[in-house]
């Protein structure tokens, strides 16, 4: 998150190729998002190389960012799956349903996926839209490879 | 920041390395038709809180593959070794 500046962007800028997004808060700070650490961690802190990586992406997209100062950064838990797609399905245990493994996609997809998940629970069978998002797809080979990165969550 | 003491290059920060996950998985034998074993090898990973044995590639250094033991709660690096021992028997 940057120091507050005058209004600069009034939309959310998202760049899939660089895994970078940017928006401006009401207080004027620019808020950035980027990649995950890649390695497994419970340390609850970030690291400088990743901040560098996110900002390099930001500056290549919008060179005007290069002189800004930065205030703080934070991270959270990312529930990555091996093919980059979520799992929304019944489980082998009756009455237990799974909705997780959202990788980078959770926030934007929540309304649609919640609707499908509600259908799955209410009808005890998946909706057409989430039929393929099973946990069994890993053993059956019917993967939903979002990026074609292979079973390497740190590369997604 | 994680500092990895590469046995060839010496201590370097992790920006020089590429992470490559769990180092304890053993590939099923070539031609194996045991699908459970392949499923486990390709897709199943533990995510331990504590010591994790993992592969790092020194991509911007000597380009050796390393096996690193790291504590996932503190990022302390406990040991670093070449993933493949040299044919001469040295380090
Ligand atoms: Zn090295």
């Amino acid at each position: 998150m940057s120091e507050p500046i005058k209004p600069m962007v009034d939309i959310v800028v998202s760049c899939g190729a660089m895994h970078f997004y940017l928006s401006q808060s009401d207080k004027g700070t620019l808020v950035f998002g980027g990649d995950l650490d890649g390695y497994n961690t419970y340390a609850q802190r970030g690291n400088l190389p990743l901040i560098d990586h996110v900002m390099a992406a930001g500056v290549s997209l919008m060179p005007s960012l290069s002189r800004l100062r930065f205030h703080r950064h934070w991270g959270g838990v990312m529930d990555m799956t091996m093919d980059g797609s979520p799992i929304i399905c019944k489980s082998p245990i009756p009455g237990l349903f799974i909705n997780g493994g959202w990788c980078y996609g959770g926030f934007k997809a929540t309304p649609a996926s919640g609707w499908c998940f509600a259908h799955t629970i209410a009808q005890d069978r998946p909706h057409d839209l989430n039929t393929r998002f099973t946990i069994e797809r890993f053993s059956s080979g019917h993967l939903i490879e979002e990026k074609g990165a292979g079973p390497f969550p740190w590369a997604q | 920041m994680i500092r990895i003491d590469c046995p060839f290059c010496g201590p370097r920060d992790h920006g020089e390395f590429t992470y490559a996950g769990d180092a304890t998985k053993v590939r099923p034998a070539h031609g194996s038709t045991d699908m459970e074993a392949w499923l486990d090898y390709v897709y199943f990973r533990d995510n331990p809180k504590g010591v994790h044995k993992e592969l790092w590639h020194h991509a911007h250094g000597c380009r050796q593959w390393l096996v690193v033991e790291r504590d996932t709660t503190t990022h302390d690096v406990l040991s670093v070794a070449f993933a493949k021992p040299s044919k001469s028997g040295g380090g």
Side-chain angles (χ1 to χ4, degrees):
Chain A
M1 175 180 281
S2 78
E3 59 190 328
I5 55 171
K6 287 182 178 178
M8 182 186 182
V9 284
D10 59 357
I11 53 167
V12 178
V13 178
S14 183
C15 177
M18 291 192 283
H19 254 177
F20 174 86
Y21 65 84
L22 173 159
S23 63
Q24 188 165 19
S25 75
D26 291 344
K27 286 187 284 185
T29 54
L30 294 178
V31 183
F32 313 98
D35 276 305
L36 42 98
D37 286 328
Y39 48 81
N40 312 32
T41 175
Y42 292 85
Q44 298 184 301
R45 60 166 185 254
N47 66 72
L48 212 49
L50 201 74
I51 296 171
D52 185 55
H53 175 69
V54 172
M55 291 327 302
V59 170
S60 53
L61 198 65
M62 296 171 67
S64 54
L65 303 177
S66 66
R67 305 292 288 178
L68 284 177
R69 290 181 168 80
F70 294 91
H71 277 177
R72 57 196 171 94
H73 72 103
W74 66 91
V77 176
M78 297 295 274
D79 49 338
M80 305 303 288
T81 61
M82 284 299 209
D83 62 358
S85 294
I87 296 162
I88 318 167
C89 64
K90 293 172 66 172
S91 79
I93 301 162
L96 181 67
F97 300 83
I98 305 173
N99 188 343
W102 275 94
C103 304
Y104 293 96
F107 301 110
K108 287 144 279 186
T110 295
S113 71
W115 188 75
C116 289
F117 194 48
H119 180 281
T120 307
I121 294 168
Q123 308 277 328
D124 201 32
R125 61 185 164 80
H127 187 273
D128 283 348
L129 294 173
N130 65 313
T131 325
R132 292 180 61 211
F133 289 85
T134 63
I135 200 165
E136 288 82 18
R137 69 178 186 267
F138 296 101
S139 46
S140 71
H142 296 88
L143 300 182
I144 309 167
E145 269 274 21
E146 193 165 295
K147 274 190 96 175
F152 311 110
W154 55 86
Q156 286 164 6
Chain B
M1 180 76 79
I2 299 169
R3 187 176 290 178
I4 296 172
D5 195 358
C6 174
F8 188 77
C9 307
R12 302 295 178 93
D13 82 61
H14 84 254
E16 290 189 7
F17 297 81
T18 306
Y19 181 68
D22 194 336
T24 64
K25 287 288 170 181
V26 180
R27 195 177 197 275
H30 182 70
S32 165
T33 54
D34 182 350
M35 284 316 190
E36 286 299 314
W38 282 109
L39 179 63
D40 181 75
Y41 171 71
V42 178
Y43 294 119
F44 290 172
R45 297 292 180 272
D46 289 334
N47 189 15
K49 189 174 186 178
V51 179
H52 189 238
K53 209 172 177 185
E54 56 201 19
L55 291 165
W56 289 82
H57 181 218
H58 199 180
H60 299 291
C62 59
R63 301 195 62 79
Q64 288 293 311
W65 285 86
L66 307 174
V67 174
V68 175
E69 275 185 309
R70 180 178 59 92
D71 190 320
T72 60
T73 61
T74 60
H75 292 178
D76 287 340
V77 172
L78 309 171
S79 74
V80 184
F82 289 125
K84 211 174 192 178
S86 77
K87 283 178 182 157
S88 62

